[in-house]
């Protein structure tokens, strides 16, 4: 006990806890503390108001740190000594001439402990020892127990005219600008301030309000509460009273919080998020992030909304949110944030995935990253399942990025499609919420666009003549903007003149930013080497010319922001976007890292563990080590997602204590990394702050492929010709049960049951669709696979009976009924359901008499 209190004695010098603090003279506050020295003094304010600095200045000024004890309230030893009941006596024993006891950063105390601490204060005062206490408002449960006291609150600690470093303009700025940490602190002062506020152990409802207001930054409280209805009045009252960093107005109508980055919010709120989610009455952190992001979208802050989703939402909900709000995110000032969110999200399948890949390719092209644009464009050409409007998009972009080979292939596709007839309906190409203005939605418009583009690509027609033909067509202005952009890139002066006239009619930065095709065309006019085209651009009115210059600068800035956050690494598998390693400033020379070959890792869990690295079977290396094998399987079942450390420990060592389990865990983790090393690094595994993750890049897992297949079968309606290939994919992937050797692992057992249920549901859904389409034989095959996977599922028997009956096999349908009845009687002791019995009776009633 003496060690902690002995170390708190200053003996004329600063102890280690405060030796690095730089004290700014605040004479008026020191004088306030000296006003009445026979009573306890309480400095109560949130983090960043200089409580510790003021206490140190007082101790230095009045006592020269002689006979001063500086007790660290954050140390668990403080609570131990307080509970011992001899804290005051021990301090006086260690220094009989003790003149000042400083209790710094006191934690929240229970009622009995607060009473005991009040007794300690009284005993020290009786012994002629001054007492100075520094704490936060949320922890102040003891100053009220001292009826005779001096209390210095947050409003007295603000920087004012009596401080030496007072600036004339400081009084006109928001109140939080006068918080000492923000006024005098380092560049990351705002981050430190928020981190300290969150560490004050505020109630969950107050933490929720704090998180929402810091995320949104400024606006009207009512607008925020319209979206986040769980923002309570009590929580706002607490924040208004003491936490000036949020800038709440006295009537709580508006707020203007301190500026903090989303990355800072992610770091400081990660440990409190689960409690906040429960209080907000939402399903998970992804839903909470989506609600707050909607507030930002309502306020027009698209970039921060994307950053918030990327920081707090999971990968699949991130993709869903991005797909839902693509049309709202069209803006030059949010290009980088939208691109980063798209790269971090899980790519959806089907039409939605095609749309998102195309939109991402277009954004990369706007930022001058055509290599990445070509990569996103590659899967969208030469595929029968790609919808017509997406092929038209891809053709436009292929011409813009000078990918002639792909453009020719796409033009052939479109030629064949619109030669079938301009009036042919194509419901899949009708897009109610266009991803970007300037792209046709109806098939008729795509026919007109495709004719021009095919002539340009296949016949090498004169772009000026093509443009003259386009201008006479009955197309929307947005369609002509797109065609003008393409033909301008092919040297059409007529298209350039049209672009400049269009920009002059807009002459507004915001409007131009919302029309990416027109913006790109106008910037090309301004930078063209053709004197005629450049003359058109420079001849625009000043407002229009200013808009073009702004758009060019903004896109360049967005490209730099994007490069700050990622680096482009060329590997043997193509160009991939990786997390940033070093920040590159605008104008700095581009450095391309050495190409590193990362072998493709394929993990099969269905039918037993098989690990293939670049096609080479390395399963034996893992099967010899059971815990390493179990850890790999656990990570593979959650590929791309973080698995918390506690969950890993509980799964692998349920019977052991936590300390020994953690030691074993890191030994197993090291062994797994060693087995998956490529050169000097392991590109497949990542250790996060809270757990572990198997990266999705360069890794395929059959369970994930099965999940995707099930999603395709349940949610999409492919062409009839595609069903056979989907059935073949099913047969290739599902060769047994999930990890049959695992009989006690609860995670595997749960996932095995869930996967089996998902498979049967998907197969039955497909069989019903096919039955409705009249594809009876194929429906029967799907229903048969469903019965093989779920022999206990009565709905599988029922659908098989329907398929057999549709094929005319009445006897087989009756046999299927008795098979179902026998199974239910022997396993569950019940009869078939009324629906199955009714179908059976209908078969008997339809039987022709002898």
């Amino acid at each position: 006990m003496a060690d902690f209190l002995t170390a708190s004695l200053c003996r004329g010098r600063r102890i280690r806890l405060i030796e690095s603090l730089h004290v700014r003279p605040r004479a008026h506050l020191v004088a306030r503390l000296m006003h009445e020295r026979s009573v306890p003094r309480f400095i109560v304010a949130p983090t960043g108001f200089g409580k510790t600095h003021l206490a140190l200045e007082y101790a230095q000024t009045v006592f020269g740190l002689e006979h001063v004890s500086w007790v660290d309230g954050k140390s668990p030893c403080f609570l131990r000594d307080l509970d011992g009941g001899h804290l005051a006596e021990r301090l006086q024993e260690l220094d009989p001439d003790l003149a000042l006891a400083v209790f710094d950063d006191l934690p929240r105390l229970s009622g009995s402990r607060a009473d005991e601490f009040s007794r300690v204060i009284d005993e020290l005062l009786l012994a002629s020892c001054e007492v100075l206490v520094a704490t936060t408002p949320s922890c102040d449960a003891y100053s009220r127990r001292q009826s005779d006291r001096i209390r210095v609150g947050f409003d007295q600690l603000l920087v004012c005219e009596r401080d030496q470093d007072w600036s004339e303009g400081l009084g006109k700025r928001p109140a939080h600008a006068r918080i000492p940490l923000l006024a005098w602190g380092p560049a990351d002062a705002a981050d430190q301030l928020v981190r300290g506020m969150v560490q004050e152990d505020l109630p969950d409802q107050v933490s929720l309000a704090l998180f929402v207001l810091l995320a949104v930054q400024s606006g009207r409280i009512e607008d925020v509460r319209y979206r986040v209805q769980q923002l309570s009045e009590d929580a706002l009252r607490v924040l208004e009273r003491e936490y000036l960093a949020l800038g709440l107005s006295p009537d709580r109508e508006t707020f203007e919080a301190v500026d903090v980055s989303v990355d800072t919010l992610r770091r400081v709120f990660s440990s409190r998020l689960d409690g906040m989610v429960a209080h907000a009455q939402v399903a998970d952190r992804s839903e909470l992030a989506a609600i707050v992001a909607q507030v930002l979208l309502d306020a027009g802050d698209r970039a921060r909304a994307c950053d918030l989703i990327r920081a707090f939402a999971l990968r699949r909900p991130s993709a869903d949110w991005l797909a839902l709000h693509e049309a709202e995110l069209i803006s030059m000032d949010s290009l980088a944030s939208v691109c980063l969110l798209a790269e971090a999200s899980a790519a959806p399948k089907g039409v939605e995935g095609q749309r998102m890949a195309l939109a991402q390719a277009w954004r990369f092209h706007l930022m001058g990253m055509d290599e990445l644009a070509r990569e996103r464009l590659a899967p969208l050409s030469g595929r029968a399942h790609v919808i017509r409007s997406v092929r038209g998009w891809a053709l436009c972009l292929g011409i813009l990025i000078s990918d002639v080979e792909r453009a020719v292939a796409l033009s052939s596709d479109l030629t064949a499609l619109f030669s079938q007839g301009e009036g042919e309906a194509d419901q899949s190409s009708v897009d109610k919420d266009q991803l970007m203005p300037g792209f046709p939605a109806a098939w008729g418009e795509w026919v007109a666009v495709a004719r021009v583009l095919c002539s340009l690509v296949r016949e090498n027609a004169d772009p000026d003549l093509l443009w003259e033909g386009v201008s006479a067509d009955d197309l929307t202005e947005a369609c002509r903007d797109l065609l003008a952009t393409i033909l301008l890139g092919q040297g059409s002066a007529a298209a350039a003149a049209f672009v400049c006239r269009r920009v002059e009619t807009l002459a507004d930065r915001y409007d131009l930013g919302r029309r990416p095709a027109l913006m790109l065309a106008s910037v090309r006019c301004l930078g063209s080497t053709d004197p005629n085209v450049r003359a058109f651009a420079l001849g625009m009115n000043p407002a229009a010319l200013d808009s073009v210059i702004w758009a060019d600068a903004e896109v360049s800035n967005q490209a730099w922001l994007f490069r700050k956050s990622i680096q482009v690494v060329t590997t043997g598998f193509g160009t991939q976007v990786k997390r940033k390693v070093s920040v590159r400033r605008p104008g700095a020379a581009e450095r391309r890292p050495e190409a590193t070959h990362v072998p493709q890792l394929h993990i099969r869990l269905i039918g037993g563990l098989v690990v293939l690295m670049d096609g080479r079977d390395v399963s034996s290396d893992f099967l010899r080590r059971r815990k390493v094998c179990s850890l790999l399987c656990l990570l593979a079942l959650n590929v791309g997602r973080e698995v918390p450390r506690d969950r890993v420990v509980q799964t692998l060592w349920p019977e052991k204590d936590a300390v020994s389990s953690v030691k074993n865990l890191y030994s197993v983790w090291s062994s797994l990394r060693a087995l998956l090393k490529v050169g000097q690094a392991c590109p497949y595994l990542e250790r996060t702050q809270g757990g572990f993750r198997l990266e999705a890049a360069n890794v395929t897992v059959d369970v994930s492929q099965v999940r995707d297949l099930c999603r395709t079968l349940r949610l999409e309606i492919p062409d009839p010709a595609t069903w056979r290939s989907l059935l073949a994919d099913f047969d290739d992937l599902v060769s047994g049960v999930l990890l049959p050797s695992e009989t006690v692992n609860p995670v595997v057992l749960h996932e095995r049951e869930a996967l089996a249920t998902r498979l049967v549901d998907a197969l039955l859904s497909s069989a019903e669709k096919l039955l409705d389409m009249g594809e009876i034989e194929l429906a029967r095959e799907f229903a048969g696979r469903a019965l093989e996977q779920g022999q206990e599922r009565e709905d599988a028997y029922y659908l098989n009976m329907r398929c057999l009956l549709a094929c005319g096999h009445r006897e087989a349908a009756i046999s299927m009924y008795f098979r179902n009845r026998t199974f239910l009687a022997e396993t569950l002791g019940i009869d078939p359901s009324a629906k199955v019995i009714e179908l059976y009776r209908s078969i008997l009633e339809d039987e022709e008499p002898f």
Side-chain angles (χ1 to χ4, degrees), residues 22-54:
H22 173 65
V23 176
R24 289 179 179 270
R26 308 200 71 183
H28 63 286
L29 293 178
V30 173
R32 166 72 176 152
L33 294 176
M34 293 179 67
H35 182 70
E36 180 57 67
R37 300 171 64 181
S38 61
V39 299
R41 274 70 53 83
F42 294 88
I43 309 173
V44 183
T47 299
F49 280 75
K51 303 184 296 294
T52 302
H53 292 75
L54 176 58

Side-chain angles (χ1 to χ4, degrees), residues 276-296:
M276 289 158 48
V277 164
H279 183 79
Q281 300 176 6
V282 294
D284 53 23
R285 62 177 62 195
S286 300
E287 186 177 346
L288 177 61
I291 292 173
V292 180
Q294 187 59 54
V295 180
L296 290 166

Side-chain angles (χ1 to χ4, degrees), residues 762-776:
L763 291 167
L764 292 177
S765 174
S766 302
E768 287 183 352
K769 292 175 187 176
L770 287 165
L771 204 55
D772 294 339
M773 294 165 58
E775 298 288 337
I776 299 173

Side-chain angles (χ1 to χ4, degrees), residues 327-593:
E328 301 174 61
L329 297 174
I330 305 166
S331 176
M332 295 302 102
D333 58 4
S334 60
L335 271 176
S337 295
V338 180
C339 282
L340 289 170
L341 176 59
E343 291 300 315
S345 304
K349 302 293 183 182
V351 173
E352 201 59 53
Q354 297 171 21
R355 288 159 46 96
M356 290 183 65
L358 208 10
Q360 184 74 333
W362 178 259
R363 286 188 288 265
F364 280 140
H365 174 57
L366 285 177
M367 294 193 297
M369 302 174 185
D370 284 351
E371 189 61 35
L372 290 176
R374 290 189 185 95
E375 181 191 341
R376 298 302 180 276
L377 196 60
L380 302 177
S381 59
R383 299 288 182 87
H385 64 275
V386 177
I387 64 174
R388 294 173 177 176
S389 60
V390 168
R391 295 188 208 185
W393 272 49
L395 174 55
C396 297
L397 192 54
I399 297 173
L400 286 171
I401 63 177
S402 303
D403 194 349
V404 178
E405 181 178 351
R406 185 164 292 116
V408 170
L410 285 164
S411 69
S412 300
D413 292 343
L414 285 176
T415 302
L417 284 170
F418 73 67
S419 66
Q420 297 172 5
E422 297 185 12
E424 182 183 350
D426 181 11
Q427 296 299 323
S428 65
S429 68
V430 177
D431 188 355
K432 295 180 181 178
D433 298 314
Q434 288 177 268
L435 295 185
M436 290 185 183
F439 288 90
W443 176 235
E445 291 185 343
W446 273 118
V447 169
V449 172
R451 288 187 190 280
V452 176
L453 297 182
C454 290
S455 298
L456 181 68
V457 173
R458 297 177 60 80
E459 302 168 13
N460 199 21
D462 184 276
D464 275 330
L465 293 177
L466 288 175
W467 175 249
E468 292 300 329
V470 167
S471 60
D473 290 340
D474 186 20
L475 291 179
T476 62
E477 287 185 339
C479 291
R480 292 205 299 274
D481 290 348
L482 175 61
L483 285 171
T485 306
I486 298 169
L487 295 176
L488 171 66
Q490 303 300 312
S492 172
F498 168 83
V499 166
C500 294
R501 287 195 302 272
R502 281 277 289 140
V503 172
E504 283 185 320
T505 60
L506 296 171
D508 182 84
R509 292 178 176 180
Y510 179 76
D511 276 350
L512 192 59
R514 299 281 289 176
R515 290 171 168 80
L518 189 61
M519 185 283 300
L520 179 63
S522 59
V523 170
R524 282 185 171 179
C525 286
L526 195 61
S528 175
T529 56
D530 187 330
N532 293 327
V533 173
R534 187 168 174 79
F536 287 138
L538 294 176
M540 289 188 291
N541 62 51
L545 188 59
D546 181 61
S547 293
V548 174
I549 294 172
W550 167 83
D552 189 23
E554 186 59 40
V555 170
S556 298
N557 181 56
Q558 290 295 308
W560 175 74
L561 289 173
F562 184 80
R563 291 190 183 97
K564 269 180 59 177
S565 302
I566 63 168
Q567 65 169 353
V568 178
V569 179
T570 301
T571 70
F573 297 93
T575 305
Q576 301 175 346
V577 178
K578 299 288 186 180
R579 291 298 301 170
K580 152 186 171 316
V581 173
S582 60
V583 175
R584 293 175 289 179
R585 299 177 180 175
E590 296 286 339
R591 295 181 179 178
R592 184 177 294 277

